[in-house]
Amino acid sequence: MFFWSGTGNTEAMAAAVAEGAGSGATLIPAAAFGPADLANYDAFAFGCPSMGAEQLEESEFEPMFAACEAELAGRRVGLFGSYGWGDGEWMRSWEERCAAAGAQLAQPGVICCEAPDEDALAACRALGAALA
């Protein structure tokens, strides 16, 4: 699970995705991950909250994800993140980017407003199980 979290909300979601995926899952902050690391995994989840005008975090996450995008073709991917405003447009755009890159989304992205409640955490665990 590769993630960026500013407030801890997306990190809590990442932990739930990892829990659902089982003992082989690893949590890796976006700053510690790059495209060469993709070869070490059969499937993976990316987590990032909505920032600014419903976009991915720009300083660490977006550059890491853009560098990985060309390597997503044919790979099983899951997406998750929290937001504080808007309607989830950033997730729809992110799913479209993944599809255009040839990624196989394990299921629709998981989003929640602010801190994840039990329903959001259950959806994250289901995402992890779908990727395992």
Side-chain angles (χ1 to χ4, degrees), residues 2 33-46 64-65 67-73 75-77:
F2 315 110
F33 181 79
D37 298 315
L38 290 175
N40 299 324
Y41 304 95
D42 294 326
F44 33 84
F46 291 101
M64 178 278 297
F65 185 77
C68 293
E69 221 164 333
E71 304 298 322
L72 297 180
R75 295 177 181 265
R76 287 181 321 151
V77 174

Side-chain angles (χ1 to χ4, degrees), residues 9-67:
N9 294 339
T10 301
E11 186 171 7
M13 295 174 80
V17 173
E19 180 184 341
S23 62
T26 305
L27 291 175
I28 302 172
F33 181 79
D37 298 315
L38 290 175
N40 299 324
Y41 304 95
D42 294 326
F44 33 84
F46 291 101
C48 185
S50 170
M51 304 293 286
E54 290 211 55
Q55 61 200 36
L56 299 174
E57 189 278 326
E58 297 176 294
S59 64
E60 288 181 17
F61 192 88
E62 174 60 39
M64 178 278 297
F65 185 77

Side-chain angles (χ1 to χ4, degrees), residues 20 27 31 34 44 57 63 80-81 86-87 92-93 99 103 107 114 118 129 132:
L27 291 175
F44 33 84
E57 189 278 326
F80 63 93
D87 70 353
R92 293 187 299 275
S93 297
Q107 66 181 46
E114 303 296 345
E118 187 49 46

